[in-house]
Amino acid sequence: MKLLCHWFLLAVLCFCASSQARGSAFHSGEPSQAGAREYVRVTDWAKANGFQLRWLKRKEAFQLSNASAKITCAVDSREAQVNGVGVWLSFPVAQRDGVPCLAKLDLQTTLAPLLSPSKSKPSAALKSICLDPGHGGRDPGNRVGPYQEKKYRLLLAQEVRQQLTRAGLNVALTRSTDTFVDLPMRPEMAKRKNADLFVSLHFNSAESSRTVVRGAEVYCLTPVGASSTNARGEGGGAGWCAGNRYNDKNLLLAYEVQKALTRSLTVEDRGVRRARFAVLRDATMPAVLIEAGFMSHPEEGKRIFDTGYRRQVARAIVDGVLAYKKSVELRS
């Protein structure tokens, strides 16, 4: 009798799991093992979700498209584009018997949140934002000659706050002067202020290739079981953390800000990326970390130090936040 009950319970669980999968917005298709990861044939996924597959370069690059979306990927690469905006996958695109395959985790945590954003309840409307100008005090951040990142982060945050306030949102800063704030305190301050979003503002640097590397990139938290795009200074392991509760909205916010930055400023699109930075791991609301440009690049750095250009950067960030707000809020 115990054995019979065990098999009955197992059957019920399997039925519930399959029913849940069928009820999701996007179907995964048939899985195909590639190493230790579960992959799905792109042809199966495309057929199940109303997309057309077209090879841009046979066995190297392809495009998935329907009436509202275009997804471009390359075999053996993590770089992709969703409607023309760079988005890094958690795992490289694979190919099996001439058929491209995407990691099931990417279909669930990268494509689905962008193609079918979840909506917030009317009572959860986005009203307040916490801006985090990183570094400060004894921590100057990146340096280029006499220019210190901490100063320009704060100036950018003040401009973003001003524009968001004009848009009708409540805005708090983790620091408003040249003071040092410990990393754990930054998302904690956002929590105490009941912020609906946490946005950490940064400027990048690449000293070894300063004349080449330029552009904008926006980070959101790496999903559980996925590989980060940038492991620098992450810590914390690869397990679940508080910020993973908002995986879908983290990605959507990062995507909307990246789209606004690259289209408004015509800077190089370095893509939406994943990391387990402390301020993202510990956030108790949707959170992103913005690298709005490279101070180390001779031309881009000069623009970053210019008040007028930073105002444009702030405008793009605000546009991205407002686009996210529009995407997630239900209309009554």
Side-chain angles (χ1 to χ4, degrees):
M1 179 62 72
K2 289 184 178 179
L3 182 61
L4 181 62
C5 290
H6 172 78
W7 282 110
F8 176 76
L9 179 59
L10 182 61
V12 170
L13 291 174
C14 290
F15 174 78
C16 292
S18 65
S19 298
Q20 184 179 14
R22 286 194 300 271
S24 62
F26 287 88
H27 299 279
S28 296
E30 293 298 321
S32 171
Q33 290 298 119
R37 303 183 203 107
E38 190 174 13
Y39 274 72
V40 172
R41 290 187 291 271
V42 170
T43 48
D44 294 341
W45 184 88
K47 183 178 180 180
N49 295 287
F51 279 79
Q52 296 292 322
L53 170 65
R54 179 172 69 92
W55 283 101
L56 301 177
K57 191 171 183 180
R58 191 66 183 172
K59 296 185 178 181
E60 292 185 26
F62 61 91
Q63 185 178 84
L64 294 161
S65 61
N66 63 12
S68 59
K70 288 184 179 180
I71 305 163
T72 304
C73 300
V75 175
D76 296 327
S77 174
R78 293 175 63 184
E79 295 185 61
Q81 285 192 338
V82 178
N83 290 332
V85 179
V87 178
W88 284 71
L89 302 172
S90 294
F91 299 107
V93 177
Q95 190 166 205
R96 297 293 177 267
D97 300 322
V99 178
C101 301
L102 285 165
K104 188 174 182 179
L105 188 63
D106 272 314
L107 294 175
Q108 295 171 340
T109 63
T110 304
L111 295 187
L114 299 181
L115 299 176
S116 182
S118 59
K119 300 291 185 179
S120 302
K121 296 178 181 179
S123 59
L126 196 163
K127 299 176 181 178
S128 62
I129 297 174
C130 182
L131 299 176
D132 173 41
H135 301 296
R138 66 176 184 268
D139 179 9
N142 293 315
R143 302 187 197 190
V144 177
Y147 303 104
Q148 296 184 341
E149 182 186 2
K150 64 177 183 178
K151 172 183 176 180
Y152 296 97
R153 284 184 178 186
L154 181 56
L155 290 172
L156 177 62
Q158 290 168 341
E159 182 63 44
V160 174
R161 177 179 59 181
Q162 188 177 60
Q163 294 190 28
L164 284 172
T165 302
R166 286 201 296 264
L169 295 171
N170 298 319
V171 184
L173 270 63
T174 58
R175 68 178 181 92
S176 55
T177 59
D178 184 17
T179 54
F180 177 79
V181 181
D182 284 324
L183 288 178
M185 284 301 301
R186 296 172 188 267
E188 177 62 26
M189 291 170 71
K191 180 180 179 181
R192 290 179 186 174
K193 295 176 183 297
N194 295 315
D196 299 312
L197 294 181
F198 178 84
V199 178
S200 190
L201 302 171
H202 295 251
F203 288 114
N204 225 328
S205 182
E207 292 302 322
S208 61
S209 50
R210 54 184 292 124
T211 61
V212 177
V213 182
R214 62 196 298 177
E217 56 195 30
V218 182
Y219 285 87
C220 59
L221 184 62
T222 310
V224 177
S227 173
S228 294
T229 316
N230 182 0
R232 174 173 51 88
E234 284 191 349
W240 187 92
C241 50
N244 286 124
R245 188 179 292 113
Y246 307 96
N247 276 341
D248 288 2
K249 290 184 176 179
N250 291 338
L251 178 65
L252 181 61
L253 176 59
Y255 176 84
E256 292 294 354
V257 173
Q258 181 71 12
K259 178 168 67 173
L261 285 169
T262 53
R263 294 184 178 177
S264 298
L265 304 175
T266 62
V267 295
E268 183 176 324
D269 182 359
R270 292 177 55 82
V272 174
R273 297 171 176 241
R274 305 281 196 165
R276 293 185 173 93
F277 298 134
V279 292
L280 301 180
R281 293 197 312 266
D282 300 338
T284 56
M285 68 287 296
V288 294
L289 185 148
I290 301 170
E291 296 279 10
F294 279 76
M295 292 173 55
S296 53
H297 190 276
E299 296 177 8
E300 196 161 78
K302 287 181 181 179
R303 290 200 295 269
I304 288 169
F305 307 142
D306 178 73
T307 302
Y309 180 74
R310 285 197 307 277
R311 189 174 297 119
Q312 295 176 42
V313 174
R315 180 71 259 170
I317 292 171
V318 171
D319 287 346
V321 169
L322 295 180
Y324 166 85
K325 184 177 188 294
K326 183 178 180 180
S327 292
V328 300
E329 288 184 351
L330 284 170
R331 296 291 180 263
S332 58

